[in-house]
PDB file of all heavy atoms in Angstrom:
ATOM      1  N   GLU L 230      67.079 203.488   6.132  1.00 97.00           N
ATOM      2  CA  GLU L 230      66.409 202.504   5.272  1.00 97.00           C
ATOM      3  C   GLU L 230      65.582 203.207   4.210  1.00 97.00           C
ATOM      4  O   GLU L 230      65.574 202.804   3.047  1.00 97.00           O
ATOM      5  CB  GLU L 230      65.476 201.602   6.092  1.00 97.00           C
ATOM      6  CG  GLU L 230      66.126 200.408   6.696  1.00 97.00           C
ATOM      7  CD  GLU L 230      65.131 199.525   7.440  1.00 97.00           C
ATOM      8  OE1 GLU L 230      63.941 199.465   7.059  1.00 97.00           O
ATOM      9  OE2 GLU L 230      65.554 198.894   8.423  1.00 97.00           O
ATOM     10  N   LEU L 231      64.864 204.231   4.625  1.00 97.00           N
ATOM     11  CA  LEU L 231      63.997 204.946   3.695  1.00 97.00           C
ATOM     12  C   LEU L 231      64.786 205.742   2.660  1.00 97.00           C
ATOM     13  O   LEU L 231      64.350 205.894   1.525  1.00 97.00           O
ATOM     14  CB  LEU L 231      63.039 205.866   4.465  1.00 97.00           C
ATOM     15  CG  LEU L 231      61.978 205.129   5.289  1.00 97.00           C
ATOM     16  CD1 LEU L 231      61.344 206.069   6.302  1.00 97.00           C
ATOM     17  CD2 LEU L 231      60.927 204.509   4.371  1.00 97.00           C
ATOM     18  N   ILE L 232      65.967 206.236   3.037  1.00 97.00           N
ATOM     19  CA  ILE L 232      66.811 206.988   2.102  1.00 97.00           C
ATOM     20  C   ILE L 232      67.462 206.035   1.095  1.00 97.00           C
ATOM     21  O   ILE L 232      67.474 206.290  -0.100  1.00 97.00           O
ATOM     22  CB  ILE L 232      67.889 207.797   2.858  1.00 97.00           C
ATOM     23  CG1 ILE L 232      67.235 208.887   3.689  1.00 97.00           C
ATOM     24  CG2 ILE L 232      68.906 208.383   1.881  1.00 97.00           C
ATOM     25  CD1 ILE L 232      68.162 209.564   4.675  1.00 97.00           C
ATOM     26  N   GLY L 233      68.050 204.957   1.611  1.00 96.00           N
ATOM     27  CA  GLY L 233      68.603 203.931   0.740  1.00 96.00           C
ATOM     28  C   GLY L 233      70.024 204.114   0.262  1.00 96.00           C
ATOM     29  O   GLY L 233      70.722 203.150   0.013  1.00 96.00           O
ATOM     30  N   GLU L 234      70.480 205.365   0.110  1.00 95.00           N
ATOM     31  CA  GLU L 234      71.849 205.564  -0.375  1.00 95.00           C
ATOM     32  C   GLU L 234      72.380 206.924   0.063  1.00 95.00           C
ATOM     33  O   GLU L 234      71.625 207.883   0.228  1.00 95.00           O
ATOM     34  CB  GLU L 234      71.923 205.438  -1.896  1.00 95.00           C
ATOM     35  CG  GLU L 234      71.139 206.497  -2.655  1.00 95.00           C
ATOM     36  CD  GLU L 234      71.253 206.342  -4.158  1.00 95.00           C
ATOM     37  OE1 GLU L 234      72.337 206.626  -4.700  1.00 95.00           O
ATOM     38  OE2 GLU L 234      70.250 205.943  -4.767  1.00 95.00           O
ATOM     39  N   ALA L 235      73.704 206.988   0.212  1.00 95.00           N
ATOM     40  CA  ALA L 235      74.368 208.228   0.596  1.00 95.00           C
ATOM     41  C   ALA L 235      74.558 209.114  -0.629  1.00 95.00           C
ATOM     42  O   ALA L 235      74.433 208.668  -1.764  1.00 95.00           O
ATOM     43  CB  ALA L 235      75.725 207.916   1.229  1.00 95.00           C
ATOM     44  N   GLY L 236      74.828 210.382  -0.367  1.00 94.00           N
ATOM     45  CA  GLY L 236      75.164 211.295  -1.453  1.00 94.00           C
ATOM     46  C   GLY L 236      74.004 212.038  -2.068  1.00 94.00           C
ATOM     47  O   GLY L 236      74.209 212.998  -2.803  1.00 94.00           O
ATOM     48  N   THR L 237      72.780 211.630  -1.778  1.00 95.00           N
ATOM     49  CA  THR L 237      71.612 212.302  -2.344  1.00 95.00           C
ATOM     50  C   THR L 237      71.291 213.564  -1.544  1.00 95.00           C
ATOM     51  O   THR L 237      71.760 213.735  -0.411  1.00 95.00           O
ATOM     52  CB  THR L 237      70.375 211.378  -2.319  1.00 95.00           C
ATOM     53  OG1 THR L 237      70.036 211.118  -0.944  1.00 95.00           O
ATOM     54  CG2 THR L 237      70.639 210.073  -3.050  1.00 95.00           C
ATOM     55  N   ASP L 238      70.476 214.434  -2.126  1.00 96.00           N
ATOM     56  CA  ASP L 238      70.045 215.635  -1.399  1.00 96.00           C
ATOM     57  C   ASP L 238      69.283 215.248  -0.133  1.00 96.00           C
ATOM     58  O   ASP L 238      69.451 215.868   0.921  1.00 96.00           O
ATOM     59  CB  ASP L 238      69.171 216.524  -2.284  1.00 96.00           C
ATOM     60  CG  ASP L 238      69.973 217.264  -3.343  1.00 96.00           C
ATOM     61  OD1 ASP L 238      71.211 217.398  -3.172  1.00 96.00           O
ATOM     62  OD2 ASP L 238      69.373 217.704  -4.339  1.00 96.00           O
ATOM     63  N   GLU L 239      68.416 214.220  -0.241  1.00 96.00           N
ATOM     64  CA  GLU L 239      67.662 213.759   0.927  1.00 96.00           C
ATOM     65  C   GLU L 239      68.618 213.294   2.023  1.00 96.00           C
ATOM     66  O   GLU L 239      68.435 213.613   3.196  1.00 96.00           O
ATOM     67  CB  GLU L 239      66.709 212.623   0.549  1.00 96.00           C
ATOM     68  CG  GLU L 239      65.529 213.072  -0.275  1.00 96.00           C
ATOM     69  CD  GLU L 239      64.648 211.909  -0.696  1.00 96.00           C
ATOM     70  OE1 GLU L 239      65.122 210.750  -0.740  1.00 96.00           O
ATOM     71  OE2 GLU L 239      63.471 212.173  -0.993  1.00 96.00           O
ATOM     72  N   PHE L 240      69.621 212.533   1.648  1.00 97.00           N
ATOM     73  CA  PHE L 240      70.612 212.050   2.619  1.00 97.00           C
ATOM     74  C   PHE L 240      71.266 213.231   3.336  1.00 97.00           C
ATOM     75  O   PHE L 240      71.374 213.242   4.562  1.00 97.00           O
ATOM     76  CB  PHE L 240      71.681 211.187   1.921  1.00 97.00           C
ATOM     77  CG  PHE L 240      72.850 210.879   2.805  1.00 97.00           C
ATOM     78  CD1 PHE L 240      72.772 209.900   3.787  1.00 97.00           C
ATOM     79  CD2 PHE L 240      74.046 211.588   2.674  1.00 97.00           C
ATOM     80  CE1 PHE L 240      73.851 209.639   4.621  1.00 97.00           C
ATOM     81  CE2 PHE L 240      75.135 211.321   3.497  1.00 97.00           C
ATOM     82  CZ  PHE L 240      75.026 210.342   4.472  1.00 97.00           C
ATOM     83  N   LYS L 241      71.685 214.219   2.592  1.00 97.00           N
ATOM     84  CA  LYS L 241      72.380 215.374   3.182  1.00 97.00           C
ATOM     85  C   LYS L 241      71.458 216.137   4.142  1.00 97.00           C
ATOM     86  O   LYS L 241      71.893 216.564   5.218  1.00 97.00           O
ATOM     87  CB  LYS L 241      72.906 216.295   2.087  1.00 97.00           C
ATOM     88  CG  LYS L 241      74.042 215.668   1.276  1.00 97.00           C
ATOM     89  CD  LYS L 241      74.408 216.506   0.088  1.00 97.00           C
ATOM     90  CE  LYS L 241      75.425 215.760  -0.780  1.00 97.00           C
ATOM     91  NZ  LYS L 241      75.669 216.416  -2.056  1.00 97.00           N
TER      92      LYS L 241
END
Side-chain angles (χ1 to χ4, degrees):
E230 273 183 31
L231 291 164
I232 294 169
E234 64 179 288
T237 65
D238 286 340
E239 288 177 337
F240 169 78
K241 292 172 187 171

